[in-house]
């Protein structure tokens, strides 16, 4: 049995974490992957909840041992998705969301061609800057670096199957939920979930 796999990608500050949180509250059938990272925890972040926080040496070892289905360097830190955890989720038929950058999304598309890839755009560069500042978690230097990186990241939007514009949060969550709903209605998902309907019509 295989669950639906989704990736959600956005430039930092576009509101991806907020959107995903809203989506998960609305849809208890979705499970979020908790990535491994070498980034230091932000205030309020807890090990094992937002991320598994590890040092560079441990990350390297996991990488060499093939523990990540994808990994990437983003804004000077390393991030990776556990191969074993993801395989277990999908085998159990669980619909799973990866909140990862465009490089990781590209690797996941190669490994899982059926993945539903979603890119989140902020409504404008000025609003992106407002949100990064308003979040109050990053220094001016980090904000400047992330704004610069955003331009490059947005160039990759065309690689994704769906684009959500995060202007008004409730509307953006509705859009995201619509993509998830459509993904679950694909033939492969329906066939796995409801084999009896198909068996009914294919009996000799
Ligand atoms: P990301 O995970 O993409 O880096 P966050 O989810 O942390 O971004 O959001 C960045 C900031 O923008 C947060 O302070 C969040 O509350 C705010 N935010 C997110 N979505 C919206 C929205 N649609 N309208 C206004 N503010 C938003
Ligand atoms: P942040 O440090 O703001 O939480 O995340 C920075 C960036 O790293 C975001 O673009 C986020 O999507 C990305 N990221 C988080 N986890 C992973 C992961 O496991 N793999 C990849 N490739 N990117 C990730």
């Amino acid at each position: 049995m295989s669950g639906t796999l989704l990736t959600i990608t956005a430039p930092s500050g576009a509101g991806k974490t907020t959107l995903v949180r809203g989506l998960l509250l609305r849809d208890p059938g979705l499970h979020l992957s908790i990535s491994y990272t070498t980034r230091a925890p932000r205030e309020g972040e807890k090990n094992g909840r937002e991320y598994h926080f590890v040092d560079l040496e441990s990350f390297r070892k996991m990488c060499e041992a093939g523990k990540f289905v994808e990994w990437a360097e983003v804004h000077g830190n390393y991030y990776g998705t556990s191969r074993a955890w993801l395989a277990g989720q999908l085998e159990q038929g669980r619909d799973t969301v990866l909140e990862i950058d465009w490089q990781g999304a590209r690797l996941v598309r190669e490994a899982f061609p059926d993945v539903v890839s979603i890119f989140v755009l902020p409504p404008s560069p000025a609003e992106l800057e407002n949100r990064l500042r308003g979040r109050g978690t990053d220094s001016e230097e980090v904000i400047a670096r992330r704004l610069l990186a955003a331009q490059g990241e947005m160039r990759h939007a065309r690689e994704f199957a769906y684009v959500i514009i995060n202007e008004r949060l409730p509307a953006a969550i509705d859009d995201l939920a619509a993509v998830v709903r459509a993904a679950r209605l694909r033939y492969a998902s329906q066939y796995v979930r409801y084999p009896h309907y198909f068996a009914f019509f294919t009996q000799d």
Side-chain angles (χ1 to χ4, degrees):
M1 176 137 174
S2 183
T4 298
L5 177 62
L6 302 109
T7 59
I8 302 190
T9 301
S12 182
K16 163 176 42 67
T17 308
T18 310
L19 270 174
V20 169
R21 207 171 286 153
L23 179 70
L24 293 178
L25 276 175
R26 207 191 264 200
D27 188 338
L30 282 176
H31 302 265
L32 181 64
S33 167
I34 299 170
S35 300
Y36 287 78
T37 185
T38 59
R39 166 165 82 61
R42 295 192 183 117
E43 207 177 304
E45 284 183 337
K46 209 172 135 213
N47 190 27
R49 190 176 63 191
E50 282 80 12
Y51 284 103
H52 300 290
F53 295 98
V54 293
D55 59 29
L56 190 57
E57 188 52 27
S58 312
F59 192 96
R60 275 215 185 105
K61 279 194 182 138
M62 288 182 76
C63 221
E64 278 160 19
K67 302 274 185 201
F68 297 126
V69 63
E70 65 75 32
W71 65 271
E73 184 182 348
V74 190
H75 309 307
N77 296 300
Y78 291 92
Y79 297 84
T81 303
S82 163
R83 184 188 296 281
W85 183 85
L86 182 59
Q89 286 287 109
L90 297 177
E91 267 160 31
Q92 290 172 68
R94 293 195 168 161
D95 297 339
T96 305
V97 178
L98 309 181
E99 210 187 300
I100 59 178
D101 88 312
W102 66 270
Q103 306 169 84
R106 191 180 265 182
L107 293 169
V108 171
R109 263 196 302 275
E110 283 166 21
F112 301 92
D114 286 342
V115 65
V116 177
S117 65
I118 304 164
F119 196 87
V120 178
L121 276 177
S124 67
E127 177 59 15
L128 181 66
E129 189 167 350
N130 279 342
R131 288 184 190 172
L132 278 171
R133 280 235 163 73
R135 187 163 67 183
T137 52
D138 301 304
S139 66
E140 279 302 312
E141 190 211 325
V142 168
I143 290 174
R145 206 175 335 133
R146 290 190 174 210
L147 278 173
L148 200 66
Q151 291 179 9
E153 288 162 15
M154 283 192 220
R155 266 185 231 126
H156 293 278
R158 71 182 66 164
E159 296 166 19
F160 291 74
Y162 294 94
V163 173
I164 307 279
I165 297 165
N166 181 21
E167 186 154 24
R168 278 187 54 253
L169 190 60
I173 296 174
D174 280 348
D175 287 346
L176 206 48
V179 171
V180 174
R181 185 162 179 190
R184 285 181 173 139
L185 293 172
R186 291 186 304 184
Y187 177 87
S189 303
Q190 293 285 68
Y191 189 82
V192 166
R193 260 173 244 256
Y194 304 110
H196 51 287
Y197 287 121
F198 294 87
F200 187 65
F201 288 106
T202 51
Q203 272 165 4
D204 292 328

